[in-house]
Amino acid sequence: MDPSEVEFLAEKELVKIIPNFSLDKIYLIGGDLGPFNPGLPVDVPLWLALNFKQRQKCRIIPPDWMDVEKLEEIRELEKREEAFTPVPSPYYMELTKLLLNHASDNIPKADEIRTLVKDIWDTRIAKLRLSADSFISQQEAHAKLDNLTLMEINTIREFLLDSLNCMYKLRSNLQPGSSGRTFTDF
Amino acid sequence: ICVWCDLESDSTPHGSASSRFMVETLWLILSFGGPWIFQCSFWCVGVLLLMSLPSAPLSDFMVKVVEVADSSQQKTLRGHEAPVLSVAFDPKDEFLASACCDGSVVVWDIEQQTQVISWPLLKKTNDVSNARSLCRLAFQPSSGKFLAVPVESKVHLYGRGSWDHAATLSDDLLSQPINVVSWSPCGQFLAAGAVGGSLTVWDVSSKLCVERQKHEKGFSVCSLAWHPSGRQLAYTDTEGCLGLLDGVNTSISAVDQKADKDFDDLFDDDDDQLMDEGLSDSRSPAQKRATRNEDDDEDDDFRIPSTGRVKNRGAILDDENSLDTASLKFGEDKPADEEDAGGPVGPAAPPLLPSRPVYEGPLPSLPQKAFQAGSTPAHLTHRFMMWNSVGIVRGYNDEQDNAIDVEFHDTAVHHAMHLTNSLGHTMADISQEAVLLACPSTEELASKLQCLHFSSWDTNKEWMVDMPKGEDVKALCLGQGWAAVATSALMVRLFSIGGIQREVFSLPGPAVCMAGHGEQLLIVYHRATGFDGDQALGVQLLQLSRRRKQILSGEPLPLSHKSYLSWLGFTAEGTPCFVDSEGVVRMLNRALANTWTPVCSTRDTCKSKSDHYWVVGVHENPQQLRCIPCKGSRYPPTLPRPAVAILPFKLPLCQTTTEKGQMEEQFWRSVLFHNHYSFLSASGFEVDEDAQTQSEKEKQELLMKMFALSCRLEREFRCVELAELMTQNVVTLAIRYASRSRRMALAQRLSEIAMEKAVQSQQEEPEEQEEDLQYCSVRLALSLFEELTLQQKLLIRFRTVPAVFLCRLCEKTSEASGCFQVSATGKSSVSAQPRAANILDNMTSSRKSTPLSGPAAKTSKSPVLKPLAPRPKTKVPERVRKFRTPRALEDREHGHLPKTGFQLWLEENRKSITADSPDLDETEVIREAMGRFRVLSAEERLVSGAGARFSVPEQLKMFDSINLKLSEPESGVSVATIKSPDQWSKDSTIHHGNGDKHLSYVLPAAEIDKFIQANATIGEHFHQEKQHSCSGRTERKYLQLFESFLIMNK
C-alpha cells in the first residue's frame, strides 16, 4: 500500500468548512452534502473542502484537536506512556499534512501545529521501531499493537516484513541440516 | 465579622476607565472573632500603613488598634464616652487621633494607650447616626506636621507635638458641616468634603481656597482620596456613588513629581502615561458619575462612560470577572457577612452614614446606550462593527491602522473591501445593496453618514451626508432600497439607498437600536426611565411599503428582569426578533395580536455562567438561531475568527420532559415559526407553497399525535380541544381514529366540530373556493338537491344532511323514475332514514357501503343558491369527493356497467380499426383504439361520448339555468356553463380544451343528464390518462368533477 493510497482514504474524513457561496444540497454517490449557506459551517469530506479551498470558495475550520494545547497534551502523554496512546483522529498525520499544506491561512498557529504533530509522529514511530526491535530480538511469534493508525502501519510494514523474511532465511541457513532446502517467502 | 477596607486608590491612575477599578479594590481583609463590629471603615479611602479599625461598640466606646500583620496584638484605647466617629493615624505611627460623638477630638499615644490631648470641638450627640458630621480627621502625610480636624464648616489645623491650634481653613461659600478632610500626597493641599456635596481644596501654606466643586446630585461626601499624583480626587457619597474629580491643582506638578517617587513601587510609568492620556481625553474637568454600587451592570462594559482607550479585551474581561466574584454592596446594604455575625451585632449595628434620611425606594437604572445589533463595543481596538446574515464589517483602531474591513459571507454579492477609516466611523450596517457607515461628531466635524452603494449601476458608488450641527447619529440600519438613521435629536431620518432624503419623523425617546428588513423598520427607544436595573424600552415597527403603516406603535418591549437589549433584528423571513442580555430570544407573534414570545434562552445551553452566545441571525425556516459561542465573555474576539454555531429553538413550555409537553412545545413552535407565511403572502411576497404545505402537514401530524396520546390517556375532552385546532380533513382522520378505538361519544363531538369547521371555512373563504372545480360540481349537486327539496318542502330538514346522503337521494330519485317529480320517493327516503340528520350515523353507514373511501363527515348548510349568481356564496368542502363510491362496487351494485365514452367510441370505430389492421386480436384492438382515442381532440371525444346516449329528464327543466364558473389560478380560466334549454344548440355542446388546460362546457339545464354523461366520459378518459401521464392539478380536478357527477348519476 502506498502512502498516497492512505492519503486518499483519509480524504474521506469530514471537516467543517464555511462556504462563501450558496448551493443547494448536492447528491453524490458517497452521500448528500450541503446545503451550502454562505457563512454557515457545513461538514464536507476533506477532498471537497480542499477543492473548494483551492478555488477560494470556503474557509476551513480546523478540527477540534488541531489546537496547540491539545496537541501538546497528546504529545506529553505519548512521551510518558510506554504503549501507544489513542490519537485524536485515525488520519491525524494525513489531515495535518493536507490541511496545513492547503489551508494554513485558516489554521491559527499552523507552524506550531506542524511541529507538534511531527513530534507526535516521531515519538510514535520511534516506539514502533523499538517494539519491532524487541519483537525481533526476543524472537516472539506474535505481538499486539493498539492505537496504531493506518499510515503508521503502512510505514513500517514493508520494512518489517522484508527484514523478517530475511532473517528467517539467514536463521534457517544457520541450522545444520537445513541447507539446500528452498524457502518460500511469506 | 468582617472588615471592609479600601486598601488604597491604586487604580485611580486609570483615570478614564473609571473608578470602577477602585470599587474592586475594596477588599475583604480580615475577619476577626469577637463580639464587636467595625464601623464604616470601608468608606475610608486612603493609604493606610497600619490598618486602623475604629470600632463603634455601643457598650464600651473604645478604639481598638489591630496590627494587620499580627492580629493578635490588639491595643485598646479607652476614654470616649460615646461612639467613635473616626480615627486617624499619625504617619509616624506614634499617635492616633479620634473623633467621638461626645464632642471630643482626642489624640492618643498608641504605645502607652493614653490620651495625649482632648479638645471639645464638636457638638455632642448620642449616636453616630445623629452626628452632624462624620468628622474624619487626617494627619498631614510624611511629616505629620499637622492634624486637620473638620469642625463645622471649617478645618482646624493642630501642630503635631505641641497640639496647638495652628490655623483654621475656611471658605465663605462653605456653610455645611465638613464630613471629611484629606491631605494631598504632597501635604501642601487639603481637600474637604462636606454635607451637601461641597468639595473644597485649600492650599495649606497660603490658607486659600484653590478649588471648589459641588457634587452634581448634592449628596453628602463621606470619603475622599487623592491620587498619588495629586491631580485627581476620588470621593464617595452617602448614596453609594463613587466620583472622580479631575484636573485638580494642575499648577503643582513640580510637587507632584516629588510625590510620585514615593509611589514608584506602586505605580509604574505606564500607569502614569495612561493616566495622563485619560486626563487629556476626558471630556471636562467636571465630575463624572461612575458607578452605582448596587448596580447590576457589573458585566455591562459599554454602559460605563469611558474615554480612555482600552488596550485589549482582556482588561475588560478581567474587570468583569473580578466584579462578578466580588459581590459588592454599599450603602444601606450591610455586607452579607456582617449580617451573618448575628447575635448582639445585627440590631445594634449603627447605620453607617446617617447624615440624612435615606431614600429606599426603587432607584433609576442607567439608560442603555444606543448600539448596533451585531456589533461589539466601540472601545475595543479590534471589533466587529456589524455581523449579520450578509457579511461582516470589522473595525481596526490601533496604532498602525484605523481601518474598516468589509467582508461578505457570499462572495457572489461583492468582493471584500478594505477602507481607511479617516472619519472615525463607529457604526455600520451591511446589506445586499450597500454598506452604511456613520461617525459621531467631533469638535470640528459634523456627524456624518456614509453609504457605499456598491450595487449601484452607475459609476458613483458612494455618497455622504452631514447631519445638522449638534445632531449625532446614534443608530442606523439598512432596508431594501432605503436607509434609516436615528439621531441624538430624537429623530429618525430616512434616506433612499441612492442618497435621496426621505421622510423624517420624531421618536418619543432616545433611540437604542434599529433594524431593517425589506420594507420594515424596527426601532427600539427609551420610553421612560427604568428602575432597579430594568430598562423601559418602547418599540415601533413601521411598514415603509407603498401603503405605509405603523404595526407596533411604541409598545413596551418586554425584556427580562434587570436586563437590557443586546440584539435586535429580523428573522430571515422578516419577523421582528430581539435578544436581551439574559440571552432570551423573543419573536413577534403576529398571529397573537403582535405579542412577543420567548423562543429560546441561549443561557440554558451555556456551560458556564460567564459563557455567552452572541446572536448574529435568526432563521425561521429551517429553525435556526445562528450565534457565536463566546467562552467567558459576552463578545467574540475578531481573531481567531469565530465560527457560527446553530442553536435550536425551544419555547419555554411547562414539562417539556414529558411526551405531552414535548409535543405541545413542538406544535406551538411550529405554529409560531410558520406565521411568516401568512405575513409574507399578506404583504404580497411569493411564498414557497411546498414548504408551506409541508409545514401545515407537520403541524397537523403533531396534532394528530397529540390527539392519539390524549385518546390513550382517556382524555376525551382534551381530544375535542385538540380537534378544534385541526383542519377539516384531519378532523375526519380523528373521527376515524376515535370510532375505531370505540369512543363513540368522542366521535360524535368531533363530527360536530367538523360541521362547525365546514361552516366556518365556508364563511371565511368564499372567494377562494370559487376556483375549485370540485366545489362547483358539488354545488351543482347541491342545487339539484336544493330544488328537489324545496319542491318537497324538506329543505330545513335537509340542511344538515351530509352530501353523501344528498347524492344518494339524487341517485334514488333519478333511478326510481328518472324524474324529479317523484316527491314521494324523496320523502320516503328521508323519512325512512330518520338517522339522516345524525351526521355520524350517516357517516358510519356510508362508510359501510364504501369501505375504500374516506369517511368524510363534511356537510354544510346549504343556503338557497341563486341560480345565476356569478359568485357562489356557499362552499362545500373538498372531502365530499371522498364519498365517491368506487366504480367497481357501484357497478356490482347496479348490476350493469355503464358505458364510457371510450367504449362508445370504440363501438363506433371498431370497424375502421379492424379494417386498418385485420389481424389484431381483441386486446390489441382495444389498445389500438385507445391510442387513437387519445389522439382525438377532446371535443370529438366529448361529442362522441355525449352524443352516445342520453335520455333527457324533462324534470330538470325546473332549473332555469345553472352557471358554473371555474377558474384555476395558474392556467387561466376553465368555465363550465350550463345554460337554459333554449340557449342550447347542438353544435355548442361541450368544449373541452385539454392541452391548454382550458375547459368550457355549454349545456342546457334540461340536458343535465347529458352533461353528466359527458363528464363521465371525461372522467373515464382521465382515469386512463392518469395512469399514463403526469397527474396535474387540472387533471385531478377534472377527475374530481367526474367523480362527483358520477355520484349524482347513480
Side-chain angles (χ1 to χ4, degrees), chain A:
Chain A
M1 208 176 185
D2 221 46
S4 62
E5 284 172 71
V6 183
E7 191 178 277
F8 177 79
L9 291 178
E11 281 178 354
K12 272 192 195 157
E13 284 288 285
L14 291 183
V15 291
K16 259 196 176 45
I17 61 162
I18 297 179
N20 60 17
F21 58 95
S22 77
L23 186 70
D24 256 348
K25 241 181 176 171
I26 47 176
Y27 303 95
L28 305 177
I29 299 169
D32 302 348
L33 298 175
F36 299 91
N37 291 311
L40 210 62
V42 63
D43 279 325
V44 293
L46 184 62
W47 59 266
L48 188 64
L50 293 178
N51 184 297
F52 280 148
K53 179 69 198 170
Q54 280 165 350
R55 290 191 283 150
Q56 302 196 329
K57 291 275 181 200
C58 78
R59 217 150 47 77
I60 296 179
I61 302 177
D64 286 337
W65 53 266
M66 207 175 274
D67 172 75
V68 173
E69 279 171 32
K70 281 184 187 151
L71 288 175
E72 268 170 358
E73 248 171 60
I74 293 168
R75 183 183 64 178
E76 293 315 310
L77 191 71
E78 189 68 60
K79 278 183 179 166
R80 247 197 340 266
E81 292 282 319
E82 197 68 13
F84 292 95
T85 54
V87 281
S89 157
Y91 299 102
Y92 73 99
M93 193 62 199
E94 300 91 310
L95 280 175
T96 314
K97 183 171 168 272
L98 287 169
L99 286 179
L100 290 180
N101 282 355
H102 294 103
S104 55
D105 52 333
N106 293 151
I107 298 165
K109 300 184 183 169
D111 291 337
E112 280 179 55
I113 286 169
R114 196 191 295 270
T115 325
L116 281 167
V117 172
K118 187 80 173 72
D119 281 355
I120 295 170
W121 169 264
D122 287 345
T123 322
R124 291 173 69 89
I125 290 296
K127 268 187 200 176
L128 194 57
R129 291 215 188 94
L130 211 68
S131 59
D133 178 50
S134 63
F135 175 73
I136 290 165
S137 59
Q138 290 168 23
Q139 303 207 8
E140 295 286 344
H142 64 272
K144 187 182 164 194
L145 292 174
D146 285 336
N147 297 325
L148 270 186
T149 63
L150 187 56
M151 190 60 123
E152 287 157 352
I153 297 169
N154 199 46
T155 319
I156 202 144
R157 180 194 287 123
E158 212 168 326
F159 169 71
L160 186 67
L161 293 185
D162 284 353
S163 43
L164 282 178
N165 264 335
C166 235
M167 282 192 306
Y168 179 64
K169 272 183 203 164
L170 293 171
R171 281 190 188 132
S172 331
N173 283 334
L174 279 178
Q175 309 253 326
S178 62
S179 57
R181 276 180 61 181
T182 55
F183 298 100
T184 49
D185 283 358
F186 46 83

Side-chain angles (χ1 to χ4, degrees), chain B residues 273-378:
Chain B
Q273 275 165 17
L274 195 67
M275 178 201 72
D276 293 339
E277 206 173 272
L279 276 174
S280 55
D281 279 353
S282 60
R283 292 171 294 183
S284 65
Q287 307 157 358
K288 285 187 285 178
R289 271 196 67 193
T291 41
R292 170 163 299 280
N293 300 315
E294 292 146 316
D295 216 340
D296 57 297
D297 51 2
E298 294 158 341
D299 42 8
D300 177 13
D301 302 318
F302 56 85
R303 268 203 274 168
I304 303 304
S306 70
T307 49
R309 288 159 66 184
V310 178
K311 289 283 185 197
N312 52 30
R313 288 174 57 251
I316 292 291
L317 301 178
D318 290 348
D319 177 16
E320 178 187 325
N321 293 341
S322 52
L323 266 179
D324 276 342
T325 50
S327 65
L328 298 168
K329 293 200 171 177
F330 279 67
E332 301 86 67
D333 292 1
K334 295 177 202 112
D337 300 18
E338 185 178 286
E339 278 167 358
D340 290 344
V345 179
L352 300 177
L353 286 163
S355 53
R356 47 178 228 147
V358 180
Y359 172 65
E360 289 182 351
L363 296 165
S365 47
L366 218 58
Q368 174 178 10
K369 291 206 162 178
F371 71 102
Q372 286 295 106
S375 69
T376 52

Side-chain angles (χ1 to χ4, degrees), chain B residues 787-794 813 820 822-824 826-827:
Chain B
E787 294 293 333
L788 187 74
T789 48
L790 265 177
Q791 192 191 17
Q792 295 167 344
K793 308 202 191 312
L794 284 169
T813 47
F820 282 101
V822 276
S823 54
K827 242 180 209 163

Side-chain angles (χ1 to χ4, degrees), chain A residues 19-21 38-41 59 61, chain B residues 409-411 624 626 641 643-644:
Chain A
N20 60 17
F21 58 95
L40 210 62
R59 217 150 47 77
I61 302 177
Chain B
H409 294 312
D410 192 343
T411 42
Q624 287 178 339
R626 297 184 183 178
R641 227 180 119 117
V644 178

Side-chain angles (χ1 to χ4, degrees), chain B residues 633-654:
Chain B
S633 69
R634 239 166 218 289
Y635 311 104
T638 48
L639 282 173
R641 227 180 119 117
V644 178
I646 288 169
L647 287 186
F649 291 105
K650 191 179 178 209
L651 298 192
L653 256 57
C654 305

